Amino acid sequence: MSRRPIIAANWKMHKGPAEATEFIDEFENLIGGSSAVDIVISPAFVALGAAKGALANSDTTGLAAQNCHFEEKGAFTGEVSIGMLTEIGVDYVIIGHSERRSIFGEDDAIINAKAKALHAAGVKPIICIGETLEEREGGQLEAVLRRQLEVGLEGLSADKMAEAVIAYEPVWAIGTGKTAGPDEAQEAHAFVRKVLGELFGEEVAAKIRIQYGGSVKPANTAELMAQPDVDGALVGGASLEPGSFSEICKNAG
Ligand code: 13P
């Protein structure tokens, strides 16, 4: 089964519209019009419009939002609906990032509501899962990943899941410089695919792209991507600079 790799930049709370535009102009020059991998950039909400404009002529790079609300509209001060995001033209929405879970209190049920709303709107989710160091050291790795998948993906239709992306991001590897070794990453990804197979059937599970995230940089991209169940990367810090992000995209190809 060959899955086209997908490399996504998660800019978190960095770069407004002007910086996003400047990055994209430089990045697109470095990538040079063709890529062996799907590339996605996720700026902050306020920079999505500018990024979409800067990507207007891109054949390589799509756009993602970092979050969404699950309701269509209403009294939800500070929130952004999926309809607003599709109006701008996002291709993907990241949901369930560990920072949303730990800082903003999002649980698997909220993530499930967002995943369902995205599927209903025809927008592809990038669904983040991953264990803390405490959970890993306590022997809870598989139980945590299984719960996040079973509850987070509950009730989603198998045919739409084939288009979804899962991002495995061990919390202890995010922004710490510690990366899961290629074997550790493969082991977790294989387990995730096994659970996806139980939930949606093996054929669909074989199509779902599973990204690795956590201190991905140009130097460790190729060895991670060489693992059979690692189909891409969700990149934080090293995606903020066009040179390093373009190198990651090239090394992944
Ligand atoms: P870093 O690449 O900075 O570790 O961040 C990973 C991440 O959280 C991407 O979503």
Side-chain angles (χ1 to χ4, degrees), residues 10 12 97 99 169 173-175 214-216 234-237:
N10 176 9
K12 307 188 179 183
H97 192 279
E99 288 147 18
E169 300 203 304
I174 295 177
S215 300
V216 173
L234 184 54
V235 188

Side-chain angles (χ1 to χ4, degrees), residues 140-205:
Q140 294 298 300
L141 170 64
E142 294 195 347
V144 169
L145 296 181
R146 177 177 286 280
R147 186 204 72 226
Q148 291 174 336
L149 291 167
E150 285 180 353
V151 183
L153 307 180
E154 191 271 319
L156 296 177
S157 77
D159 56 328
K160 287 195 176 160
M161 268 311 292
E163 296 258 282
V165 176
I166 304 288
Y168 168 64
E169 300 203 304
V171 179
W172 48 271
I174 295 177
T176 58
K178 279 187 209 151
T179 322
D183 294 346
E184 276 175 311
Q186 169 56 26
E187 206 179 322
H189 282 226
F191 177 74
V192 169
R193 201 176 304 284
K194 184 184 116 177
V195 176
L196 291 171
E198 292 167 20
L199 296 174
F200 303 106
E202 308 239 318
E203 204 179 312
V204 169

